[in-house]
Short mmCIF file of all heavy atoms in Angstrom, two decimals:
data_model
loop_
_atom_site.label_atom_id
_atom_site.label_comp_id
_atom_site.label_asym_id
_atom_site.label_seq_id
_atom_site.Cartn_x
_atom_site.Cartn_y
_atom_site.Cartn_z
N LEU G 409 -19.21 -12.49 151.32
CA LEU G 409 -18.46 -11.90 152.44
C LEU G 409 -17.10 -12.57 152.63
O LEU G 409 -16.10 -11.87 152.82
CB LEU G 409 -19.28 -11.95 153.73
CG LEU G 409 -18.60 -11.29 154.94
CD1 LEU G 409 -18.30 -9.82 154.67
CD2 LEU G 409 -19.47 -11.43 156.19
N PRO G 410 -16.99 -13.91 152.58
CA PRO G 410 -15.65 -14.51 152.71
C PRO G 410 -14.67 -14.04 151.64
O PRO G 410 -13.47 -13.91 151.90
CB PRO G 410 -15.94 -16.01 152.59
CG PRO G 410 -17.33 -16.17 153.08
CD PRO G 410 -18.04 -14.94 152.59
N GLN G 411 -15.17 -13.76 150.44
CA GLN G 411 -14.29 -13.25 149.39
C GLN G 411 -13.76 -11.88 149.77
O GLN G 411 -12.57 -11.59 149.59
CB GLN G 411 -15.04 -13.17 148.06
CG GLN G 411 -15.36 -14.53 147.46
CD GLN G 411 -15.94 -14.40 146.06
OE1 GLN G 411 -15.54 -13.52 145.29
NE2 GLN G 411 -16.89 -15.26 145.73
N TYR G 412 -14.65 -11.00 150.28
CA TYR G 412 -14.19 -9.69 150.74
C TYR G 412 -13.17 -9.83 151.85
O TYR G 412 -12.11 -9.21 151.83
CB TYR G 412 -15.38 -8.84 151.21
CG TYR G 412 -14.94 -7.56 151.90
CD1 TYR G 412 -14.69 -6.40 151.18
CD2 TYR G 412 -14.73 -7.53 153.29
CE1 TYR G 412 -14.26 -5.24 151.81
CE2 TYR G 412 -14.30 -6.37 153.93
CZ TYR G 412 -14.06 -5.24 153.18
OH TYR G 412 -13.60 -4.09 153.81
N LEU G 413 -13.49 -10.65 152.85
CA LEU G 413 -12.61 -10.82 154.00
C LEU G 413 -11.26 -11.40 153.59
O LEU G 413 -10.21 -11.04 154.15
CB LEU G 413 -13.27 -11.71 155.05
CG LEU G 413 -14.54 -11.15 155.69
CD1 LEU G 413 -15.22 -12.21 156.55
CD2 LEU G 413 -14.23 -9.91 156.53
N GLY G 414 -11.26 -12.28 152.59
CA GLY G 414 -10.02 -12.90 152.15
C GLY G 414 -9.16 -11.99 151.31
O GLY G 414 -7.92 -12.03 151.40
N LEU G 415 -9.80 -11.12 150.50
CA LEU G 415 -9.05 -10.29 149.55
C LEU G 415 -8.81 -8.87 150.04
O LEU G 415 -7.82 -8.24 149.65
CB LEU G 415 -9.80 -10.23 148.21
CG LEU G 415 -9.93 -11.54 147.44
CD1 LEU G 415 -10.85 -11.35 146.23
CD2 LEU G 415 -8.56 -12.04 147.00
N GLN G 416 -9.69 -8.35 150.88
CA GLN G 416 -9.66 -6.93 151.22
C GLN G 416 -9.19 -6.63 152.64
O GLN G 416 -8.95 -5.47 152.96
CB GLN G 416 -11.05 -6.32 151.01
CG GLN G 416 -11.60 -6.45 149.61
CD GLN G 416 -10.92 -5.53 148.62
OE1 GLN G 416 -10.40 -4.48 148.99
NE2 GLN G 416 -10.90 -5.91 147.36
N THR G 417 -9.09 -7.63 153.50
CA THR G 417 -8.71 -7.38 154.89
C THR G 417 -7.36 -8.01 155.19
O THR G 417 -6.90 -8.91 154.49
CB THR G 417 -9.75 -7.94 155.87
OG1 THR G 417 -9.74 -9.38 155.81
CG2 THR G 417 -11.15 -7.45 155.53
N LYS G 425 -13.52 -14.87 159.13
CA LYS G 425 -13.35 -15.17 157.71
C LYS G 425 -14.65 -15.66 157.07
O LYS G 425 -14.65 -15.99 155.89
CB LYS G 425 -12.26 -16.22 157.52
CG LYS G 425 -10.86 -15.74 157.90
CD LYS G 425 -10.47 -14.51 157.10
CE LYS G 425 -9.15 -13.90 157.59
NZ LYS G 425 -8.86 -12.60 156.92
#
Side-chain angles (χ1 to χ4, degrees):
L409 183 60
Q411 290 188 36
Y412 171 87
L413 295 171
L415 295 173
Q416 302 287 334
T417 68
K425 294 302 173 187

